[in-house]
Amino acid sequence: MLSHLSSASLPLKPSTVTATAFLRLSSRNLRFSYSSCPIFSPFFRSRPSLCSKLSRSFHFRPGVSSESAFSPSRSMEASPSADAAPTVESLADGLRNQRLGSENRVLLRLEDLNWDHSFVHELPGDPRTDPIPRQVLHACYTKISPSAEVENPQLVAWSESVAELLDLDPKEFERPDFPLIFSGASLLVGGLPYAQCYGGHQFGMWAGQLGDGRAITLGELLNSKSERWELQLKGAGRTPYSRFADGLAVLRSSIREFLCSEAMHSLGIPTTRALCLVTTGKYVTRDMFYDGNPKEEPGAIVCRVAQSFLRFGSYQIHAARGKEDLGIVRALADYTIRHHFPHIENMTRSEGLSFSTGEQDESIVDLTSNKYAAWSVEVAERTASLVASWQGVGFTHGVLNTDNMSVLGLTIDYGPFGFLDAFDPSYTPNTTDLPGRRYCFANQPDIGLWNIAQFTSTLVSAELINDKEANYAMERYGTKFMDEYQAIMTRKLGLPKYNKQLISKLLNNMAVDKVDYTNFFRLLSNIKADPTIPQDELLTPLKAVLLDIGKERKESWISWVQSYIQELAASGISDEERKASMNSVNPKYVLRNYLCQSAIDAAEQGDFGVVRRILKIMERPYDEQPGMEKYARLPPAWAYRPGVCMLSCSS
């Protein structure tokens, strides 16, 4: 047990509406301990009986509205068996169909995009259109146009794969007016810009109205597959939700958001995307460390793309405003289900999705009789899957407030995020979070549950679901997280089945010796399933990550590797097959903070080449990419200075 890490855990308090349901799941003291279960939140570790019960329950896996956005990530997919191996003919047919599809697809100019502004047309809006900061009541949005000042804006980087989602011709990036359009200086033909109203809990406290303070949606469009995509400019100027801020963004934070949006997608993790990044040609004043020393930084705007930017807080704000606005919660839920969860709208009782809650009165939750209950369960499961995938790649979001939680289960709002370098469960990349480390790596599963409690509380307030249905959604979060996380860790180690003791010991060793998370799992695939390997050669494949360990620690690692080899030998899987499988889920390249900083430093000097190069590398994180090895190295000494390894929310 790592007792010095126990302070990283925290007691989480639910809202009053779902307090009973939450406390039934969280009745024991939450303490962090590796000796009992690896990286699982204290909620799961302290309830073995509940875990056992949940692991036997039915998995609610309804269809999803978009294959491209919500298909299982490659890190979550089971390794294909030999029986399911694709044939040469099937591969050829797939390539042929892909080629024909590409040839038949019509590429569009910006003027020809197929706009469909459902959010504005179907939901109540603010009668005012000015950016004066105010409480926007009884409305889901305010129509507002971009207003950031620009002077000779320049295109820094772009994503051709996002352009493909929109049916946008990549030649459009070459247009002289492209930077003007995506800095907001020129109107996008057919667009209908607005800023969304939402609230949220920030660091566990209700913060009231928040909203899009510097993000302005240009509009929604439908592509040739009838997929809905929302385009949003972040840093485009003031809105009624800007409060005392200027509504702008700097190049530093915009590069981080652009690169990480695309890097996460390539890792197979659900995320908002980024079409392009432009400079504004103007400077923005920022106090990066909140230490009273502001400085001018280059301004920039990133165009974010998602099927929707709806958050938990989008519903919370209206429930918090009392009975008069509860109808908006229902209208917004109906809108969301209609456009983003249509399979739930079409469920019938014949599907038989009824479940016992496990309570003494043997209450039944019938998901087919209440679409809102079915929706809350799917939101909970998508959130659980998302958090499990973060834990698998060592990603720490840094600001998991409820206004930063997507109802579609997407990673959203890239602020002071960070990927683990040296494995430290208490790691937080956010300087604002340092006192309590509420949002540290190990606490993310707990925070996901806490946020789901706030979301279901909102639905209970609006009388869309009852307490039992809210409780069931939270139980499903627990089941889904454990299923996904255990499956991910099993694949990362190339094991035939989950081995709790082996994985617990490994993570304990990694935490004690501060082993690099990404590089360790990548190198682990080099270990051979040969029990006859001499003891003094067992650690040779891992020598690049087991640095400066003493005799006692070396013995601990040798013991673990011996146990690991025994498991591998018993599986009967060849070393070559296992290595290929492990390398398909253990990335070689992740967007470490020092890589972001190197791109930022170059871009601030007018060199955008580093941003574009890192983007290309992060598009293939699981490939070896010969010649690019330096981008997989451990952080250099300068990477540990403030502003690189730790960041604030100032951007």
Side-chain angles (χ1 to χ4, degrees):
M1 177 175 178
L2 302 181
S3 58
H4 68 284
L5 293 179
S6 62
S7 60
S9 64
L10 66 159
L12 300 177
K13 298 179 180 179
S15 62
T16 56
V17 177
T18 54
T20 302
F22 188 95
L23 290 174
R24 188 175 67 80
L25 299 175
S26 306
S27 59
R28 303 189 188 180
N29 185 35
L30 305 183
R31 304 303 293 171
F32 187 86
S33 169
Y34 272 91
S35 60
S36 55
C37 194
I39 300 302
F40 289 174
S41 67
F43 160 67
F44 305 119
R45 286 196 306 278
S46 60
R47 293 156 192 83
S49 60
L50 175 61
C51 294
S52 176
K53 180 186 73 172
L54 293 180
S55 66
R56 296 192 298 269
S57 63
F58 181 86
H59 287 218
F60 178 53
R61 298 174 185 269
V64 292
S65 58
S66 168
E67 180 177 324
S68 63
F70 304 119
S71 58
S73 70
R74 68 184 293 175
S75 64
M76 295 180 192
E77 294 170 354
S79 301
S81 65
D83 294 336
T87 64
V88 173
E89 291 78 8
S90 66
L91 289 173
D93 287 342
L95 291 171
R96 190 180 305 113
N97 292 334
Q98 182 179 1
R99 194 160 49 244
L100 289 172
S102 299
E103 292 170 356
N104 294 332
R105 191 164 57 91
V106 177
L107 298 178
L108 305 176
R109 298 169 61 243
L110 288 171
E111 290 80 3
D112 300 324
L113 295 173
N114 180 27
W115 295 101
D116 181 78
H117 306 295
S118 65
F119 194 83
V120 171
H121 292 157
E122 299 177 26
L123 293 166
D126 182 3
R128 292 172 56 176
T129 58
D130 62 86
I132 297 173
R134 61 185 183 277
Q135 289 294 303
V136 177
L137 304 177
H138 320 308
C140 295
Y141 63 88
T142 301
K143 292 181 180 178
I144 195 82
S145 295
S147 60
E149 294 185 13
V150 303
E151 183 178 328
N152 188 29
Q154 297 182 61
L155 180 60
V156 177
W158 60 93
S159 171
E160 293 193 4
S161 65
V162 175
E164 185 176 350
L165 291 176
L166 309 178
D167 299 327
L168 183 65
D169 192 330
K171 292 182 180 178
E172 292 293 278
F173 292 119
E174 302 171 11
R175 290 173 53 152
D177 62 345
F178 189 91
L180 285 169
I181 293 172
F182 285 93
S183 64
S186 294
L187 293 177
L188 185 56
V189 175
L192 186 56
Y194 68 88
Q196 188 188 154
C197 178
Y198 52 82
H201 283 85
Q202 297 193 328
F203 293 90
M205 303 295 293
W206 176 245
Q209 177 180 291
L210 299 168
D212 287 333
R214 56 177 171 166
I216 296 177
T217 290
L218 297 177
E220 304 166 53
L221 59 82
L222 295 175
N223 66 11
S224 57
K225 299 178 182 178
S226 297
E227 295 170 335
R228 184 175 303 277
W229 295 101
E230 181 177 333
L231 275 62
Q232 185 182 85
L233 299 184
K234 185 173 181 179
R238 286 189 176 91
T239 77
Y241 313 103
S242 298
R243 292 172 286 180
F244 301 105
D246 56 19
L248 305 177
V250 298
L251 184 59
R252 164 176 50 85
S253 62
S254 300
I255 286 175
R256 287 173 54 81
E257 174 133 16
F258 176 83
L259 287 176
C260 203
S261 298
E262 295 307 286
M264 291 289 273
H265 170 72
S266 297
L267 286 168
I269 296 174
T271 178
T272 58
R273 304 292 302 277
L275 174 65
C276 62
L277 168 63
V278 300
T279 60
T280 62
K282 293 289 188 176
Y283 281 84
V284 178
T285 302
R286 286 289 181 269
D287 186 352
M288 181 176 177
F289 300 109
Y290 300 118
D291 61 359
N293 294 299
K295 71 170 186 175
E296 288 194 333
E297 299 185 51
I301 295 173
V302 61
C303 180
R304 308 196 296 185
V305 177
Q307 291 198 310
S308 174
F309 286 92
L310 283 167
R311 305 127 187 283
F312 291 5
S314 302
Y315 308 84
Q316 285 183 284
I317 185 63
H318 305 297
R321 285 174 167 167
K323 292 184 178 180
E324 188 175 358
D325 282 5
L326 291 181
I328 298 180
V329 179
R330 180 181 293 270
L332 191 55
D334 287 340
Y335 167 86
T336 308
I337 293 170
R338 182 166 60 251
H339 289 290
H340 302 291
F341 299 80
H343 52 281
I344 290 178
E345 194 97 74
N346 300 327
M347 279 196 316
T348 64
R349 284 182 175 270
S350 63
E351 296 180 45
L353 295 177
S354 299
F355 310 95
S356 170
T357 62
E359 298 283 1
Q360 291 182 354
D361 61 358
E362 291 299 321
S363 299
I364 299 295
V365 173
D366 181 3
L367 297 182
T368 60
S369 67
N370 184 358
K371 67 178 181 180
Y372 305 112
W375 176 52
S376 68
V377 166
E378 185 163 347
V379 171
E381 290 202 336
R382 289 191 185 191
T383 302
S385 293
L386 178 67
V387 176
S389 67
W390 289 349
Q391 303 303 101
V393 297
F395 175 80
T396 308
H397 184 282
V399 199
L400 285 180
N401 299 324
T402 58
D403 56 298
N404 296 335
M405 297 292 292
S406 161
V407 294
L408 302 188
L410 307 176
T411 314
I412 191 172
D413 292 337
Y414 291 94
F417 66 83
F419 286 86
L420 291 173
D421 293 319
F423 182 60
D424 178 3
S426 67
Y427 167 70
T428 177
N430 187 354
T431 56
T432 312
D433 191 34
L434 277 177
R437 297 183 184 268
R438 175 184 176 86
Y439 296 143
C440 72
F441 177 73
N443 278 351
Q444 290 184 133
D446 264 341
I447 294 298
L449 174 64
W450 194 89
N451 288 341
I452 287 294
Q454 311 316 309
F455 177 69
T456 55
S457 170
T458 296
L459 302 186
V460 170
S461 297
E463 299 182 351
L464 301 183
I465 64 176
N466 58 39
D467 284 336
K468 287 185 173 64
E469 291 164 335
N471 178 58
Y472 182 71
M474 288 189 283
E475 288 195 0
R476 287 307 310 159
Y477 175 97
T479 305
K480 188 68 170 179
F481 176 82
M482 294 188 69
D483 285 349
E484 294 284 354
Y485 182 78
Q486 290 181 6
I488 288 170
M489 295 307 294
T490 299
R491 289 191 288 272
K492 287 180 74 69
L493 272 72
L495 298 173
K497 62 181 184 299
Y498 181 70
N499 185 320
K500 175 182 175 180
Q501 183 176 359
L502 188 72
I503 294 174
S504 294
K505 182 60 176 176
L506 168 62
L507 294 176
N508 187 77
N509 281 347
M510 292 178 68
V512 169
D513 294 313
K514 304 297 182 186
V515 176
D516 186 83
Y517 190 84
T518 300
N519 289 354
F520 175 85
F521 282 108
R522 187 71 177 191
L523 290 176
L524 190 62
S525 65
N526 294 326
I527 288 183
K528 308 297 183 184
D530 180 4
T532 66
I533 297 175
Q535 189 175 99
D536 60 354
E537 297 178 13
L538 286 174
L539 301 185
T540 300
L542 303 174
K543 64 180 180 181
V545 289
L546 298 182
L547 307 172
D548 302 323
I549 59 172
K551 181 180 179 181
E552 181 180 344
R553 296 302 308 148
K554 186 175 181 180
E555 290 175 354
S556 181
W557 277 104
I558 288 174
S559 174
W560 183 85
V561 171
Q562 288 173 330
S563 299
Y564 178 55
I565 289 176
Q566 288 177 359
E567 286 287 307
L568 298 183
S571 72
I573 301 173
S574 70
D575 291 334
E576 294 74 17
E577 182 182 352
R578 185 181 61 259
K579 179 178 175 65
S581 176
M582 291 175 66
N583 284 352
S584 72
V585 297
N586 290 317
K588 180 169 183 174
Y589 302 94
V590 295
L591 190 66
R592 298 175 189 263
N593 274 332
Y594 85 89
L595 295 177
C596 281
Q597 191 61 46
S598 65
I600 292 166
D601 291 343
E604 288 182 340
Q605 300 302 314
D607 177 8
F608 305 145
V610 180
V611 177
R612 298 168 186 172
R613 189 179 312 121
I614 291 177
L615 173 64
K616 291 300 180 185
I617 293 167
M618 296 303 151
E619 287 176 343
R620 296 163 51 208
Y622 298 97
D623 296 345
E624 286 295 328
Q625 302 191 54
M628 298 293 110
E629 290 82 2
K630 70 177 182 179
Y631 294 96
R633 291 175 184 166
L634 298 176
W638 61 263
Y640 294 97
R641 71 173 189 253
V644 180
C645 61
M646 296 289 294
L647 301 109
S648 70
C649 297
S650 175
S651 53

